[in-house]
Amino acid sequence: MNKRDFIKLVNGNEYKLGVKVGSKVDLEFDLLMKYFEALGKKYNPDFFIDEMDIPVFEKLFYYFTQNKIWCSTNNININKGIMLVGGNGVGKSTILRLFTEFFGMGKLKYYSMSELGEKVSRDGLSTLDAINFSRAFVIDDVGSEKESMYFGIRTEVFNSILMKFEHKNFPAYKPDEEGLISLISNADKETTRLNPSKPARIYASTNLCLDEFEERYGKRVYSRMAGFFNILNFPTRTDKRALLANVV
C-alpha cells in the first residue's frame, strides 16, 4: 500500500505531521505540536505552546483523534464537548480553533458570550435562534457576559444556550401502548447527537475556575455544564500576552 509523509505548509515552510497510508493518516503528537505552534501564530502572533500546557494538548489530541481506549482510561468522554478552563492569555481561543479546524470540523460558528449577552439584552432570547444547535459550535469566553435584562426580565444566557442544546439533541422518549419506545420530538435525527456520525457538540472556553463558575451560574447550571463538557484545566494561569508585553 502506498505510504508517504503527511505534510502541511505554514508560510511556505513544510511540517511533517505523520505518515499517510492509503486514505489513513497516522499523526505523531510531537510533530503536530510543532505545526500547531507555527499555525497558531497566524491567528495570534504572540501564540506559543508552554511545556506546562502539553498535558492539555495531549488530551485534546486523543479526544479529536477519537482514541476511545486512551480517552476512557483518562476519564474523557468522546461524546461530550470540550470546556477549556484557564486564565487570561493562556491561548484557549486559539487552541480551540487549531483543533476544531484541523480535525475536519469545518468552519465552525464562533460566538462571543459577551456579544451574545448584549444581543439578548437588546433583542431577547430570539437572538439565540441564530445558533444551529444541531451542529457543533464554539462559545468563547463564557462568564464574560453581563447580566442580561430584556424588558426588565433577567435572563441567564449561558443556561438558555445549554437548555436549547439539550432540547434539540436529547429529545424526550416515552413508552407507547405496545411497550415500545417512541420518539416524541421534532429533532432531526440526521443532524443531532442521536446520530453519532454527525455529532452536535459545544466547544467553549472560560476564564473562570470551577468554583467561580459555580458561584457565577449556580449549582444547576454547573451540573448541566458538567453533563455536556469534558472540562480541561490549564495547569498554569500564566498570561502569555503579558509575558510578551513591551514594558519600558
Side-chain angles (χ1 to χ4, degrees):
M1 187 174 290
N2 187 25
K3 181 178 179 180
R4 62 186 186 277
D5 290 342
F6 182 65
I7 294 173
K8 290 283 189 178
L9 294 175
V10 179
N11 295 328
N13 297 314
E14 289 189 352
Y15 289 85
K16 178 183 175 182
L17 307 183
V19 176
K20 187 172 185 178
V21 182
S23 61
K24 181 182 178 182
V25 176
D26 291 323
L27 295 170
E28 293 186 29
F29 175 74
D30 292 341
L31 296 178
L32 184 64
M33 291 304 96
K34 292 179 181 179
Y35 169 71
F36 272 179
E37 187 157 45
L39 186 61
K41 293 184 184 299
K42 294 185 67 174
Y43 299 124
N44 178 359
D46 296 332
F47 179 78
F48 67 93
I49 297 177
D50 191 314
E51 287 188 5
M52 292 185 66
D53 294 335
I54 290 296
V56 174
F57 281 88
E58 187 177 40
K59 291 171 184 175
L60 288 169
F61 174 77
Y62 287 111
Y63 168 84
F64 279 102
T65 54
Q66 297 285 280
N67 189 315
K68 295 180 180 179
I69 295 176
W70 193 97
C71 287
S72 177
T73 302
N74 290 273
N75 197 32
I76 294 176
N77 187 333
I78 61 175
N79 294 314
K80 290 184 179 182
I82 293 289
M83 172 74 80
L84 289 185
V85 178
N88 289 315
V90 299
K92 300 182 298 296
S93 300
T94 301
I95 292 166
L96 277 178
R97 186 177 294 274
L98 288 171
F99 275 94
T100 54
E101 291 189 1
F102 179 82
F103 283 98
M105 305 300 296
K107 295 292 184 180
L108 296 187
K109 286 286 188 178
Y110 281 72
Y111 301 96
S112 162
M113 273 303 300
S114 59
E115 291 180 3
L116 285 176
E118 291 175 2
K119 289 180 179 179
V120 168
S121 291
R122 184 178 65 247
D123 303 321
L125 283 174
S126 60
T127 295
L128 302 182
D129 293 339
I131 300 176
N132 184 348
F133 290 97
S134 296
R135 296 293 186 187
F137 58 94
V138 180
I139 304 176
D140 193 31
D141 214 4
V142 174
S144 64
E145 73 279 11
K146 296 179 181 179
E147 183 178 274
S148 296
M149 299 289 292
Y150 184 65
F151 285 98
I153 300 175
R154 180 179 179 273
T155 301
E156 187 56 78
V157 179
F158 184 61
N159 186 43
S160 297
I161 290 173
L162 295 185
M163 290 179 66
K164 284 177 175 288
F165 179 80
E166 182 177 40
H167 174 74
K168 184 66 177 177
N169 293 284
F170 298 93
Y173 290 84
K174 70 175 182 180
D176 61 19
E177 294 180 353
E178 298 179 357
L180 302 175
I181 299 298
S182 299
L183 182 65
I184 53 170
S185 170
N186 60 359
D188 181 358
K189 290 185 179 181
E190 291 300 317
T191 57
T192 70
R193 208 186 299 180
L194 293 172
N195 182 347
S197 66
K198 295 183 179 180
R201 298 188 180 107
I202 308 175
Y203 303 102
S205 67
T206 182
N207 294 336
L208 302 176
C209 68
L210 296 184
D211 288 341
E212 293 171 334
F213 192 98
E214 184 173 347
E215 182 179 351
R216 167 71 170 78
Y217 292 105
K219 291 183 180 296
R220 185 176 65 173
V221 179
Y222 179 87
S223 175
R224 180 173 281 123
M225 181 271 290
F228 292 155
F229 295 97
N230 294 286
I231 302 169
L232 305 187
N233 279 291
F234 278 80
T236 174
R237 297 183 72 86
T238 301
D239 188 332
K240 297 174 183 177
R241 291 182 297 232
L243 288 177
L244 298 172
N246 299 99
V247 181
V248 295

